[in-house]
Amino acid sequence: MSDADRPDDIGGSTRAGAPQVGRFSDTPLAAGSVAAGLAGVVVGFLFVPQLLALALGGLSLARREANGRGRALLGIGLGLLTTLLWGVVLALLLKWWVTSP
């Protein structure tokens, strides 16, 4: 039997109250936030992926996607980190431009 044919809960083997490990397809906004956050790390100079990571992570938290909180927070963290780094680089470039003769 392949994994696609198996039900998630075989014979009630999961404990009551135990957190289920979600797949990326179960949390599309949180997964999109992580993907955009990673894209922001790779191509941080574009600035759009960082904003997308922040927006999708915020939407995921607002909609309370099941098992998506960790992924949403990871996406938000990556988005914030790359946004702050981008701001520092821009501030240094602006300072250099202003003080250059």
Side-chain angles (χ1 to χ4, degrees):
M1 181 182 281
S2 68
D3 287 338
D5 296 332
R6 291 184 188 170
D8 291 334
D9 184 18
I10 299 175
S13 62
T14 59
R15 295 176 294 173
Q20 297 291 318
V21 177
R23 295 180 216 108
F24 278 113
S25 62
D26 295 339
T27 57
L29 293 172
S33 176
V34 171
L38 291 173
V41 170
V42 174
V43 290
F45 58 89
L46 292 178
F47 196 64
V48 173
Q50 292 94 321
L51 296 178
L52 191 60
L54 293 171
L56 289 175
L59 282 173
S60 176
L61 290 177
R63 290 186 181 184
R64 298 181 187 264
E65 286 184 335
N67 302 318
R69 182 174 173 81
R71 290 183 187 121
L73 291 176
L74 176 62
I76 289 172
L78 287 171
L80 282 175
L81 176 71
T82 52
T83 300
L84 289 175
L85 288 174
W86 182 244
V88 167
V89 168
L90 281 178
L92 290 173
L93 283 173
L94 183 64
K95 181 182 178 207
W96 172 78
W97 181 64
V98 169
T99 59
S100 65

